[in-house]
Amino acid sequence: MFTNSIGLHVTPTRPKQRQRWGDVDSHCHLNWGDLFFDLFYVASALNLSYVLFYSPSAEGVLYFTGLFGPILLEWFQRTFFDARFVWGDDPFHKMFEIVHLCALSSAAVHIRPVSTMTDPTQIEMFDYSLAVTGLALLNMYRSIEVMLTVDGEDAAKHGEKRRLIDFFVQLSFYLAAAVKSGITYYGSKSADENDFGNR
């Protein structure tokens, strides 16, 4: 690991296990990134409330659950990771956090009422599905990095193997949703263009 003249890590640091079995308890310190991360859940909650407000029906509850589930799982996964591991202040992991926040914000901003999410001419469902697919891929990378390079006990590596399987199952559902909504959106878009050309 190399540092530059002001002491910042230039190469990626290994994830470090926060606490080992039998160690004295240590507490996580909040930073601005964690607080910023939580604000996206406020935006998600606001957008999810519009799903039920504009569609107070069984279909609205179904869409609310389907849109809320991946966002809630992401919060659990991030909290679970931060409670067990810590990264250094290297540029690679800082950029990883920025990409992670961009994917989460994209998912939050594309939560719309049922009428918009079910409209095949609107891209919102496709964009939401792509965003949660990106989150699942980022979580998988994080688990693989812990499995391969963690500075900690072997139990931490074995635990991440189980979580990686969970992420793979999530990814398969999210990817199927992204493919289906993408085919629906781009299929309806090409159909509209063909109709316009035939007029």
Side-chain angles (χ1 to χ4, degrees):
M1 171 175 32
F2 299 101
T3 56
N4 61 11
S5 60
I6 58 173
L8 292 176
H9 298 293
V10 193
T11 56
T13 56
R14 294 168 55 189
K16 184 177 178 182
Q17 190 174 348
R18 283 191 186 271
Q19 185 172 349
R20 297 171 195 242
W21 184 260
D23 284 352
V24 179
D25 287 348
S26 63
H27 300 284
C28 305
H29 295 287
L30 285 178
N31 58 34
W32 288 107
D34 293 334
L35 294 174
F36 194 58
F37 178 77
D38 289 340
L39 287 177
F40 289 115
Y41 290 95
V42 175
S44 298
L46 177 67
N47 287 345
L48 284 164
S49 68
Y50 286 120
V51 171
L52 288 178
F53 180 77
Y54 288 112
S55 184
S57 62
E59 184 183 33
V61 171
L62 183 65
Y63 269 85
F64 176 87
T65 305
L67 296 169
F68 179 61
I71 300 292
L72 181 64
L73 279 174
E74 185 58 33
W75 187 83
F76 283 142
Q77 290 155 2
R78 169 69 184 261
T79 305
F80 192 65
F81 181 86
D82 287 346
R84 296 184 312 141
F85 304 105
V86 64
W87 278 329
D89 286 329
D90 58 275
F92 175 79
H93 287 113
K94 291 296 181 189
M95 186 57 67
F96 182 90
E97 289 299 318
I98 290 170
V99 171
H100 188 264
L101 288 174
C102 287
L104 179 61
S105 64
S106 179
V109 80
H110 289 293
I111 296 174
R112 292 285 176 250
V114 175
S115 59
T116 305
M117 298 301 268
T118 56
D119 185 356
T121 62
Q122 300 288 329
I123 199 167
E124 303 298 332
M125 182 59 91
F126 180 56
D127 286 343
Y128 175 82
S129 300
L130 280 181
V132 295
T133 300
L135 287 171
L137 287 170
L138 292 169
N139 288 330
M140 288 176 76
Y141 169 79
R142 193 164 41 194
S143 286
I144 291 169
E145 185 180 23
V146 167
M147 285 168 40
L148 297 178
T149 65
V150 70
D151 179 14
E153 298 172 339
D154 287 337
K157 295 179 182 180
H158 295 305
E160 283 304 307
K161 284 181 185 175
R162 289 191 300 270
R163 288 171 52 77
L164 186 60
I165 294 169
D166 293 342
F167 293 146
F168 184 75
V169 171
Q170 290 174 21
L171 177 66
S172 62
F173 281 106
Y174 300 159
L175 198 55
V179 168
K180 170 72 170 103
S181 57
I183 289 171
T184 303
Y185 172 70
Y186 286 106
S188 69
K189 190 175 176 184
S190 63
D192 288 344
E193 287 170 357
N194 289 339
D195 278 349
F196 183 73
N198 291 334
R199 290 182 189 168

